[in-house]
Amino acid sequence: MTNVASKTERLLDALMDGDRLTNKQIQSRFGFTNPGSVSKAIYRLRTEGFPIWLNRRVDSKGRVKHKYTLGTASRRIIAAGYLALSSMGESPLEG
């Protein structure tokens, strides 16, 4: 039996390799049992600092697809993180 952590790690590996995946693709490829478990895995990765975006695409037939991708955090997001850490009394420079 595969545990959720290894599914999440495999999902991260795929995103780091440049894959752009829909919720259904993630469920099928990594064995997540429902859309909620995908959302929890994405949330976990985001809280660990991975900038995962959900991009909306419209194909030539007008169908809308939403795909997760690993992006780059904007300066604004990084600044907000540093501000949040400093407001908690933590130094962002300490590991």
Side-chain angles (χ1 to χ4, degrees), residues 5-19:
S6 65
K7 291 177 189 178
T8 303
E9 290 167 5
R10 290 186 300 141
L11 169 58
L12 177 59
D13 288 343
L15 293 171
M16 291 179 85
D17 286 342
D19 292 358

Side-chain angles (χ1 to χ4, degrees), residues 51-93:
I52 298 173
W53 308 113
L54 182 59
N55 296 317
R56 180 180 182 269
R57 299 280 186 243
V58 180
D59 69 13
S60 61
K61 295 183 180 179
R63 296 176 295 206
V64 177
K65 298 259 182 183
H66 293 89
K67 293 192 174 193
Y68 288 101
T69 186
L70 187 63
T72 303
S74 68
R75 287 180 60 196
R76 185 173 156 193
I77 296 294
I78 293 170
Y82 276 106
L83 185 61
L85 285 172
S86 65
S87 72
M88 294 179 355
E90 296 185 28
S91 171
L93 301 177

